[in-house]
Every structure is written in C-alpha cells, then in structure tokens.
Amino acid sequence: MFSDLVGQDEPVETLRRAAGAAARVVAGEPVASGAMTHAWIFTGPPGAGRSLAARAFAAALQCERGGSGCGECHGCHTVLGKTHADVRFVVPEGLSIGVGEMRALVLRAASAPSGGRWQVVVIEDADRLTEAAGNALLKAIEEPPPRTVFLLCTPSTHPDDISVTIRSRCRLVALRQPPADAVAAALVARDAMPSDTAAWAAAAAQGDITRARLLAADSEARSRREAVLAVPKRLTGVGACFDVAATLVAAAKAEAAASVAEPDAAERSALEQALGAGGTGRGAAGAMRGAAGQIKDLEKRQKSRATRAQRDALDRALVDLAGFYRDVLITALRAPVAVVHGDVAAQSQAAAGKWTPESTLRRLEAVLACRESINQNVKPEIAVEAMMLSLWRG
Ligand SMILES: [Zn+2]
C-alpha cells in the first residue's frame, strides 16, 4: 500500500509507525502517548500523492494484519475500493465543502466504528472548506471521539489553505515532489512502460505520476501540452497576446466540458427518472414545485463542478508553461539540473540566448501570478490576458 508512494521514505516511515501503534490500541495493548494521533494533515505539491498517502494510511488503520497495510486483507481491500463502512471520503465536486455536508459528516464520524477499529474521515481537498465548515470540523478535532481519525489533504499549511487553528491540532505529513527519475523508475516497474517514454513523461509531468501516465497514454493530453508549449513563440505582438489568451482559455473550457459531460447527463437523467414517478393526482402541483427546485439544485452543483474542472484544466496548462520558463532560466544560468520539457529544449535554449535572466524570471513570475489570480477568483480571461502581455514584454 505504502509502496505506491514514490520517493517519500520519511513520511511513509511516520505513517507505518502510527498505524502500528493504532493496531496495538485496537488490540488493547499499551502505547506511548502521542504514538497515534487523531488528526492529520497531508501536504505536498500536485502529484506528490497526498490523497494516496491518506488512503494508504486509512487502509493501514483498518488492516487486519497488525496495521501493516498489507493491501490483501478484507480491511485494506474495502478501503481501497471506497466501500469500507468506517471510512468516509469527502471529495468536493464544486469549489467548496459546505457546512451542511461537514456537520453531517462530523455527526456520523462520532459513532463507534462498526468494524471495531477506527472511524476514518478523509477530506481530500481540505483547502476547499468554507469557513463555517472549517469551524464545524474544528470542534470535532478539538474533542475527538476515542476511535475517530481525521485525515486532511491540502496543498500546504498556508492559512489560505487551512486555518491556523485546525493546523495547530493536527500532525503534519509533508510529502515532497518526487524526483523525476524515481517516478520514471516506478512507471517502468509497475506499468511496464518503455524506459525512454517513462523518462520523458516523468520529466514533462514534473513528478506528478498520474499526469505522467496520462501523457504517456493519451494523445489528446499530449497535443494539449504541445499547444501550451507553443505559446511563448506565438507571442509576437499585442494582438497575438489576446488571440493566444483566448485560445488557451477556450482549450481549458473545452477540456473541462468534455470531462463533465458524461456525469452531468447521467445525474440529470437519474433525477428526471426519480421525479417522473410523481404522477398527476392530488399533490402533483406541489410535487412539481419540489421537482423544479431539485433540478435547479442539480444545475447549480453541476455549474460549480464545471467551473472547477475548467480552473483545474487551466492550472495544468499554466504549470506546463511555468516549466518552460524555468527551463529557460536554468539553461541561461547553466544550473546543474535537468530540464522539464526536454522535447522543446531547442526552444528554451534559443530563448535563454535572447532574454536576460531577469526578464525570464519576470515571465516565470507572471505565470505564477496568473495561477494565484485565478485561485483568487479573478476571471480566467482577464488573468490570462494580463499574463500574456507580461510574457510578451518580458
Ligand atoms: Zn491489510
């Protein structure tokens, strides 16, 4: 289970020890105070394996073989399949996790574990908790029921991601970005990927193993990446900046729309079917009004999910773009580290010869500022246009 976490030896050791202590607690054996903790925060950059680590730990807590997380027993299997009765996963579909959802969760988490081990709540995007939801969670973390464990995943412990009070009550597992060669080795060993493809995909995905797998397997993902890496050379004037910005945002929208189309349609038809059983007898008018409300709710949730998918798609593009300017910078400075986008090395070398390191750094900062703006709800079109102009001017 833990072996799926690439290049994270130290955090894995911490989690193994805690899971061992948790197993001794379940067995009624004495453990040192602090050996097991009720609230954890998993941090790390995208692809470092935050939710993977939380899931592996949840499985180890339910593992029937001494908390080893064997990956083979019934406990481990059901956690992995997300069907374990005592492990709940909170994955926000929209932009935030609301207080209603959190209160219901905290209430259920307070009950005794049905399997006799632990009640585990995994919150996969704890940075999307609303303030009220965070407060509801904080209360539960402050006075945890004896067998309840909260596992929170968030990019960092910055106050924008998680409140200082919640942070202060949790034990921290800081995952790092795994080195590209470790990711490549894992792709060769586990996916039987040819080593040259694995090396290229691991570097291009900047250590994110899920994205590396996608880049290796999906030609559409590869052409989207190529289009993003072609952005710098297309910026030849103000008009081009606006054109390229519009194309980039449109591509993110199209990618997002494709990813939500199927679940949207399935949810809508399931709801319509459920409502269609209403009939036309007495009370039908009231039922109709209720139905309209439910459809509106669904549309609202779907819109929120679409917005999030769009932002995620745009963010992936910006990470690729930032990688390019980083490559230009390390090439100009002759830094002894490998480039991210080896396949466009000629382009980053040419740029390194043309731009000063200072202007490259300003470009890199413009990409990071754009990510930040979008994160803070600036309209993507506006943030991306401003970025393109900065990238062109340098
Ligand atoms: Zn097991």
Side-chain angles (χ1 to χ4, degrees):
M1 298 274 337
F2 287 121
S3 64
D4 281 345
L5 289 160
V6 177
Q8 313 286 354
D9 299 343
E10 210 178 302
V12 164
E13 182 52 31
T14 305
L15 294 171
R16 274 189 200 283
R17 262 195 234 159
R24 291 198 295 280
V25 170
V26 170
E29 294 165 20
V31 299
S33 84
M36 175 54 192
T37 314
H38 287 269
W40 296 73
I41 292 183
F42 296 80
T43 63
R50 294 185 299 250
S51 37
L52 203 64
R55 208 182 327 154
F57 186 48
L61 290 175
Q62 307 295 3
C63 178
E64 289 146 25
R65 298 185 188 161
S68 62
C70 67
E72 287 158 8
C73 71
H74 182 70
C76 285
H77 259 291
T78 45
V79 173
L80 285 188
K82 298 197 174 180
T83 55
H84 196 291
D86 295 331
V87 181
R88 268 167 215 95
F89 291 89
V90 185
V91 186
E93 292 203 317
L95 293 172
S96 62
I97 306 174
V99 64
E101 193 180 348
M102 188 49 63
R103 280 199 189 122
L105 197 81
V106 162
L107 205 65
R108 283 181 68 188
S111 60
S114 61
R117 291 172 188 277
W118 301 89
Q119 280 280 9
V120 185
V121 177
V122 183
I123 302 176
E124 294 206 357
D125 291 280
D127 53 312
R128 296 183 202 259
L129 287 168
T130 62
E131 201 184 335
N135 288 336
L137 176 65
L138 179 62
K139 272 187 206 138
I141 291 179
E142 276 176 335
E143 292 163 33
R147 287 289 183 85
T148 301
V149 182
F150 290 94
L151 308 179
L152 281 55
C153 307
T154 138
S156 76
T157 53
H158 189 278
D160 283 349
D161 285 339
I162 196 85
S163 86
V164 177
T165 27
I166 292 183
R167 161 71 190 93
S168 69
R169 305 272 171 179
C170 295
R171 192 155 157 198
L172 180 68
V173 177
L175 302 166
R176 59 186 188 126
Q177 183 164 318
D181 51 356
V183 172
L187 291 172
V188 172
R190 283 179 219 162
D191 301 38
M193 202 181 276
S195 61
D196 50 344
T197 310
W200 167 80
Q206 304 187 43
D208 182 336
I209 194 162
T210 313
R211 180 144 167 81
R213 284 194 176 111
L214 184 74
L215 284 174
D218 182 350
S219 64
E220 277 182 36
R222 280 199 297 277
S223 29
R224 281 195 296 268
R225 171 179 170 274
E226 276 161 24
V228 169
L229 294 179
V231 163
K233 62 179 177 214
R234 289 181 57 201
L235 300 175
T236 50
V238 176
C241 286
F242 286 106
D243 289 347
V244 175
T247 314
L248 190 70
V249 174
K253 279 188 180 165
E255 186 191 343
S259 75
V260 297
E262 218 171 289
D264 276 5
E267 281 170 5
R268 176 136 196 146
S269 96
L271 180 62
E272 280 170 354
Q273 228 160 25
L275 297 172
T280 53
R282 277 166 104 192
M288 290 274 284
R289 278 196 297 277
Q294 286 186 51
I295 289 175
K296 245 189 206 147
D297 274 354
L298 179 69
E299 283 172 350
K300 206 172 126 194
R301 278 205 309 278
Q302 293 187 336
K303 194 168 170 229
S304 172
R305 178 168 63 195
T307 308
R308 177 175 171 193
Q310 208 184 98
R311 282 196 201 174
D312 288 350
L314 195 52
D315 197 59
R316 278 191 292 276
L318 293 174
V319 168
D320 282 346
L321 200 55
F324 173 80
Y325 292 105
R326 170 200 173 274
D327 286 353
V328 177
L329 195 61
I330 63 168
T331 306
L333 300 175
R334 296 174 203 285
V337 286
V339 292
V340 168
H341 302 298
D343 45 356
V344 290
Q347 200 186 320
S348 50
Q349 267 160 18
K354 206 165 61 180
W355 303 334
T356 64
E358 290 76 15
S359 88
T360 304
L361 192 58
R362 281 196 294 274
R363 289 178 167 100
L364 178 56
E365 280 169 349
V367 181
L368 301 178
C370 179
R371 289 183 73 196
E372 185 68 30
S373 303
I374 291 170
N375 208 9
Q376 288 173 354
N377 283 328
V378 173
K379 211 165 173 283
E381 285 81 355
I382 294 173
V384 173
E385 277 171 8
M387 174 188 79
M388 294 298 180
L389 289 168
S390 303
L391 294 180
W392 170 57
R393 286 194 204 106

